[in-house]
Amino acid sequence: MTVTVEPAEPAAPAPAPGDAVLRRQRIRESAARTYARSFPIVPVRANGMTVEGADGRRYLDCLSGAGTLALGHNHPVVLAAIRRTLDSGAPLHLLDLATAEKDDFTEALFASLPRGFGEGSRVHFCGPAGTDAVEAALKLMQTATGRRGALAFTGAYHGMTAGALAVTGNVAVKAPLPGGGEVTRLPYPYDYRCPFGVGGPAGAELAVTFTERLLDDPAGGVVKPAAMILEAVQGEGGVVPAPDGWLREMRRITAERGIPLIVDEVQTGVGRTGAMWAVEHSGVTPDAMVLSKAIGGSLPLAVVVYREEYDGWRPGAHTGTFRGNTLAMAAGAATMRFVAQQGLVERAAVVGARITARLRALAGELPVIGDVRGRGLMIGVELVDPDAEPDACGSRPAAPELAVRVREACLARGLIVELGGRHDAVLRLLPPLTITDEQAEAVLDRLADAIRAAAAAGPGALPGARP
């Protein structure tokens, strides 16, 4: 009698020690690693705002995938949508073919759009990153207008592909590369470091006047462009909110001159700023909106939504293999509906205002905090050298070394925050919209303690966690 013995299933490999994973990453991955350099941890589990590392330590995550995780890590609504889609047998990848999941996502998306914009608009599904949606929006307006060039702003960040990088303001990432297109750079209102040296409403008014006169000057050197692209709140640029009045003026200036206005809502969208979309604070209706990050419910997804009259593309004018991510569409639709139904937009406004007020009070105690700004749960804390002479606007030089020490001190205290801004001296807080009151207090306590310790420790020291 022959007995058949079924082979035993191989045991799941034990998780590799965190140090070994980090060592292999350093050896094998490119020199362009970013977040892995700032946060030498190996996450193994995550839930809501909490991330657990391979060493068993837990962290409160105020990075949230650079704003991608509107509901935090592994939210039950997102997981249920993914499991439901997997169990349904729906195809996970179909290029841009029509599916029930895409139709449902589009319904949820259009229901969320600013009033007056969703009606009569079209959506184009792009490659899964926001930078591809920026490329698509620029190409779309070039096709529609027959013009080249773009108007973009100081401090802007729109992505790392050629066209998106051309309209990005960061010189460090552009300098090693050839020119990326015809771009006219305009001043973005930045109250603390006003480009005109006056600050306040007067600075924003000068930015409006400069823009209008430059475009109307026949010897100004600006050929009528295909589009203007801007962020209602600059994220990577240091969490700089655009004044509502200035944004309305940019809409007026572009509309009067027949220049399409593209608003980049990649990081500001889905409730982040205390409105579903950041343009809603000013009441501006753009010609196109670039969307990514949170619209995929933590999975890769990017689209551009635009007014129907600009839909002059021919089939295949902007394509990409991964335009049909079924799981991302299901997760994204569930996320947008949950944010709207649970009042998380309003919650972001309330909690964000509370955190900002506490941080401004802390600035009165700690002179290394030069400015606190933001909108909703998109908050920036700019660190400065308190011993340096202030400029005409009262602002002091940025303190990037101090910012690095504060980030390290935060990590030592179980808090993940990232840096941004002109000199990487702005602490950026992007907690999930689901942050609890208790978590908000813990973030504030840990951040305040880290800033105090880093400022007291001085250069070259790593402030340790309090016992």
Side-chain angles (χ1 to χ4, degrees):
M1 177 176 167
T2 303
V3 178
T4 303
V5 179
E6 295 291 334
E9 291 188 8
D19 289 345
V21 172
L22 291 171
R23 183 173 62 254
R24 284 194 292 272
Q25 183 190 51
R26 285 194 297 270
I27 294 171
R28 295 170 177 169
E29 291 196 25
S30 80
R33 288 179 301 123
T34 52
Y35 298 110
R37 294 177 184 272
S38 305
F39 310 108
I41 59 177
V42 179
V44 293
R45 276 173 293 276
N47 180 56
M49 194 176 173
T50 303
V51 173
E52 183 179 336
D55 59 359
R57 293 197 64 201
R58 293 188 174 186
Y59 304 85
L60 290 176
D61 184 4
C62 274
L63 178 57
S64 298
T68 299
L69 304 171
L71 304 182
H73 295 273
N74 295 325
H75 192 278
V77 165
V78 172
L79 296 182
I82 293 172
R83 290 189 181 110
R84 185 167 59 248
T85 306
L86 289 172
D87 292 343
S88 74
L92 300 182
H93 179 262
L94 278 173
L95 300 170
D96 67 353
L97 293 180
T99 65
E101 291 77 17
K102 177 189 278 190
D103 185 59
D104 186 59
F105 170 83
T106 305
E107 286 286 325
L109 174 64
F110 272 64
S112 78
L113 293 173
R115 184 171 299 177
F117 181 65
E119 300 86 357
S121 290
R122 297 289 183 95
V123 61
H124 180 79
F125 288 81
C126 305
T131 188
D132 188 62
V134 169
E135 298 281 351
L138 294 171
K139 287 169 60 177
L140 172 72
M141 296 311 180
Q142 290 168 347
T143 301
T145 63
R147 302 193 292 261
R148 301 171 60 189
L151 303 173
F153 290 88
T154 54
Y157 179 82
H158 298 291
M160 287 292 186
T161 50
L165 190 60
V167 292
T168 289
N170 190 327
V171 173
V173 294
K174 294 155 65 85
L177 304 172
E182 188 176 325
V183 175
T184 299
R185 190 73 52 185
L186 299 169
Y188 190 93
Y190 181 1
D191 195 15
Y192 189 69
R193 301 194 185 280
C194 176
F196 300 100
V198 295
E205 290 169 9
L206 284 172
V208 171
T209 301
F210 178 90
T211 298
E212 193 160 24
R213 293 192 177 179
L214 178 66
L215 295 180
D216 291 345
D217 185 350
V222 181
V223 177
K224 191 172 183 178
M228 172 187 283
I229 185 168
L230 57 79
E231 301 156 275
V233 181
Q234 290 189 341
E236 304 298 327
V239 194
V240 184
D244 291 336
W246 175 85
L247 196 50
R248 287 190 285 267
E249 286 293 276
M250 292 302 104
R251 174 70 284 189
R252 176 189 64 80
I253 288 169
T254 53
E256 290 177 354
R257 290 155 183 79
I259 300 170
L261 176 64
I262 302 167
V263 175
D264 183 339
E265 291 259 13
V266 168
Q267 192 167 102
T268 53
V270 193
R272 169 62 54 191
T273 67
M276 194 67 176
W277 307 102
V279 288
E280 294 180 285
H281 292 290
S282 61
V284 163
T285 303
D287 297 302
M289 287 172 59
V290 176
L291 315 175
S292 187
K293 292 190 185 292
I295 65 163
S298 75
L299 298 178
L301 185 62
V303 303
V304 55
V305 184
Y306 53 92
R307 298 174 68 87
E308 189 174 24
E309 57 261 37
Y310 294 103
D311 196 33
W313 270 341
R314 294 180 178 178
H318 192 85
T319 64
T321 301
F322 294 102
R323 290 175 293 158
N325 189 328
T326 306
L327 289 180
M329 292 172 187
T335 295
M336 286 187 286
R337 289 188 175 118
F338 187 84
V339 166
Q341 293 165 0
Q342 299 299 314
L344 294 185
V345 174
E346 296 78 10
R347 170 78 178 164
V350 170
V351 178
R354 189 186 307 149
I355 293 173
T356 300
R358 280 277 306 275
L359 289 171
R360 285 178 176 156
L362 184 66
E365 172 194 337
L366 297 174
V368 295
I369 299 178
D371 193 32
V372 177
R373 55 183 178 261
R375 228 163 185 171
L377 287 173
M378 190 172 182
I379 301 167
V381 179
E382 184 157 356
L383 300 178
V384 299
D385 179 356
D387 299 321
E389 286 296 317
D391 64 13
C393 294
S395 61
R396 289 181 163 81
E401 296 85 0
L402 171 62
V404 171
R405 297 202 306 273
V406 171
R407 181 178 63 191
E408 292 171 342
C410 284
L411 196 65
R413 288 158 175 77
L415 178 62
I416 297 174
V417 298
E418 185 51 307
L419 308 180
R422 301 300 203 276
H423 303 281
D424 278 338
V426 178
L427 304 171
R428 300 179 59 217
L429 302 180
L430 293 164
L433 310 189
T434 53
I435 184 173
T436 66
D437 291 342
E438 294 77 15
Q439 288 171 331
E441 290 300 314
V443 167
L444 287 164
D445 288 345
R446 296 179 194 187
L447 181 60
D449 192 52
I451 295 173
R452 288 191 189 98
L462 172 57
R466 59 187 173 186

